């Protein structure tokens, strides 16, 4: 049987979303996992999510929240809500987990596929890619035909042909030979494209097909955990609207 890869990212400590996505992966026949980073931040189960993602034994790249939490970066320049969640998350993780996060690579290439959290155009700065110009800056650094990323929490496809870069709405497709693709897998734990369902991507390397999956999960349960942890109410509310 051939391989089927699941690409998960921006899980953001949302255990309810992660468990539902992994159940869907098993149903779909996934054989391998890849993670585009931001396992922690925003939601209330960072330790559990990190434990589960590590148990998958998959490549994981450094997300900006993974970095903020584990680098002990000074939070004076952060808005108070963001700083509160980062500080709370630090208290939930063991020293070993903090060290694990702090040592994640910014870029990983495995099986001819590159992973980066935001963009390969200075990956440590976590710039946002929302349009074809920002994607063009990324493509100058992308060596493999396929690269997966996240960070904006909005699924999207960027295609590089000779002389031009195009932005294509997320849709199932087959990778033609001779072009490069930069695929945003969306967010498992905090979608922001107006669809509250958890997002991830399936890639079949033999058939060269990409599928964008959306799965409904128990949003109310995730919200209850955020409220119970005393995290900002806005973080619970946004889960219901996918923003
Ligand atoms: Zn994120």
């Amino acid at each position: 049987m051939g391989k089927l890869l699941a690409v998960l990212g921006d899980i953001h400590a949302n255990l309810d979303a992660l468990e539902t996505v992994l159940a869907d992966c098993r149903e779909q026949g996934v054989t391998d996992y890849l993670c585009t980073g931001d396992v922690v931040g925003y939601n209330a189960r960072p330790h559990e999510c990190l434990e589960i993602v590590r148990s998958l034994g998959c490549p994981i790249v450094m997300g900006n929240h993974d970095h903020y939490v584990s680098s002990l970066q000074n939070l004076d320049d952060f808005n108070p809500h963001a700083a509160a969640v980062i500080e709370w998350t630090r208290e939930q993780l063991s020293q070993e987990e903090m060290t694990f996060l702090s040592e994640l690579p910014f870029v990983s290439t495995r099986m001819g596929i590159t992973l980066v959290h935001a963009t390969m155009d200075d990956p440590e700065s976590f710039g946002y890619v929302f349009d074809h110009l920002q994607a063009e800056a990324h493509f100058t650094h992308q060596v493999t035909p396929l690269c997966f990323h996240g960070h904006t929490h909005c699924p999207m496809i960027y295609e590089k042909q000779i002389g031009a870069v195009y932005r294509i709405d997320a849709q199932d497709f087959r990778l033609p030979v001779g072009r490069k693709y930069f695929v945003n897998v969306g967010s498992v734990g905090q979608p922001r494209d107006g669809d509250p369902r958890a997002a991830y991507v399936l890639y079949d390397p033999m058939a060269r097909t990409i599928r964008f999956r959306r799965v409904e999960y128990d949003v109310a349960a995730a919200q209850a955990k955020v409220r119970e942890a005393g995290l900002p109410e806005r973080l619970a509310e946004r889960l219901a609207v996918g923003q």
Side-chain angles (χ1 to χ4, degrees), residues 41 45 56 82 90 203:
R45 289 293 182 274
L56 299 173
R90 286 174 179 169
Y203 175 55

Side-chain angles (χ1 to χ4, degrees), residues 91-196:
E91 288 163 15
Q92 309 304 311
L93 299 178
S94 69
Q95 193 51 54
E96 191 275 333
E97 288 173 320
M98 296 280 271
T99 304
F100 175 84
L101 286 180
S102 73
E103 291 174 348
L104 288 174
F106 287 88
V107 176
S108 167
T109 303
R110 204 76 68 87
M111 299 177 279
I113 299 165
T114 306
L115 300 176
V116 67
H117 182 63
T119 166
M120 287 179 73
D121 179 27
D122 194 8
E124 302 184 21
S125 299
F126 301 107
Y128 286 91
V129 174
F130 278 114
D131 61 32
H132 71 281
L133 290 175
Q134 293 157 338
E136 202 158 359
H138 158 86
F139 273 120
T140 58
H141 304 273
Q142 183 182 326
V143 179
T144 57
L146 179 59
C147 176
F148 292 108
H149 73 128
H151 194 45
T152 65
H153 299 201
C154 297
M156 192 67 66
I157 304 163
Y158 298 93
E159 178 189 77
K160 180 167 173 59
Q161 299 186 25
I162 296 168
V165 171
Y166 300 95
R167 191 179 79 161
I168 304 164
D169 287 340
Q171 56 193 275
D172 295 353
F173 75 111
R174 188 153 189 240
L175 298 177
V177 180
R179 299 176 194 170
K180 280 186 189 172
Y181 287 89
F182 185 37
V183 175
N184 192 315
V185 299
S187 171
V188 169
Q190 195 196 73
R192 290 182 196 158
D193 60 347
D195 181 346

Side-chain angles (χ1 to χ4, degrees), residues 15 69 85 89 103 111 116 118 132 141 163 199 214 243:
L15 181 61
V69 164
V85 182
T89 301
E103 291 174 348
M111 299 177 279
V116 67
H132 71 281
H141 304 273
R214 297 307 284 255
Q243 286 298 343

